[in-house]
PDB file of all heavy atoms in Angstrom:
ATOM      1  N   TYR A  36      41.864  16.276   1.200  1.00  0.00           N
ATOM      2  CA  TYR A  36      41.747  17.707   0.959  1.00  0.00           C
ATOM      3  C   TYR A  36      42.428  18.477   2.075  1.00  0.00           C
ATOM      4  O   TYR A  36      42.246  18.158   3.243  1.00  0.00           O
ATOM      5  CB  TYR A  36      40.271  18.139   0.960  1.00  0.00           C
ATOM      6  CG  TYR A  36      39.394  17.375   0.029  1.00  0.00           C
ATOM      7  CD1 TYR A  36      38.724  16.226   0.453  1.00  0.00           C
ATOM      8  CD2 TYR A  36      39.221  17.794  -1.281  1.00  0.00           C
ATOM      9  CE1 TYR A  36      37.901  15.528  -0.394  1.00  0.00           C
ATOM     10  CE2 TYR A  36      38.390  17.095  -2.146  1.00  0.00           C
ATOM     11  CZ  TYR A  36      37.735  15.963  -1.699  1.00  0.00           C
ATOM     12  OH  TYR A  36      36.924  15.264  -2.545  1.00  0.00           O
ATOM     13  N   ALA A  50      45.643   3.458  -2.298  1.00  0.00           N
ATOM     14  CA  ALA A  50      46.373   2.620  -1.348  1.00  0.00           C
ATOM     15  C   ALA A  50      46.182   1.167  -1.780  1.00  0.00           C
ATOM     16  O   ALA A  50      45.052   0.708  -1.918  1.00  0.00           O
ATOM     17  CB  ALA A  50      45.847   2.829   0.066  1.00  0.00           C
ATOM     18  N   ASN A  56      45.015 -13.205   3.925  1.00  0.00           N
ATOM     19  CA  ASN A  56      43.965 -13.370   4.925  1.00  0.00           C
ATOM     20  C   ASN A  56      44.265 -12.447   6.094  1.00  0.00           C
ATOM     21  O   ASN A  56      45.397 -12.393   6.569  1.00  0.00           O
ATOM     22  CB  ASN A  56      43.897 -14.816   5.423  1.00  0.00           C
ATOM     23  CG  ASN A  56      43.140 -15.701   4.469  1.00  0.00           C
ATOM     24  OD1 ASN A  56      42.233 -15.259   3.788  1.00  0.00           O
ATOM     25  ND2 ASN A  56      43.524 -16.965   4.427  1.00  0.00           N
ATOM     26  N   ASN A  81      51.841  10.179   8.862  1.00  0.00           N
ATOM     27  CA  ASN A  81      50.931   9.479   9.777  1.00  0.00           C
ATOM     28  C   ASN A  81      49.598  10.213   9.928  1.00  0.00           C
ATOM     29  O   ASN A  81      49.103  10.421  11.024  1.00  0.00           O
ATOM     30  CB  ASN A  81      51.592   9.260  11.138  1.00  0.00           C
ATOM     31  CG  ASN A  81      52.835   8.422  10.999  1.00  0.00           C
ATOM     32  OD1 ASN A  81      52.841   7.407  10.318  1.00  0.00           O
ATOM     33  ND2 ASN A  81      53.904   8.853  11.623  1.00  0.00           N
TER      34      ASN A  81
END
Side-chain angles (χ1 to χ4, degrees):
Y36 306 91
N56 279 329
N81 299 314

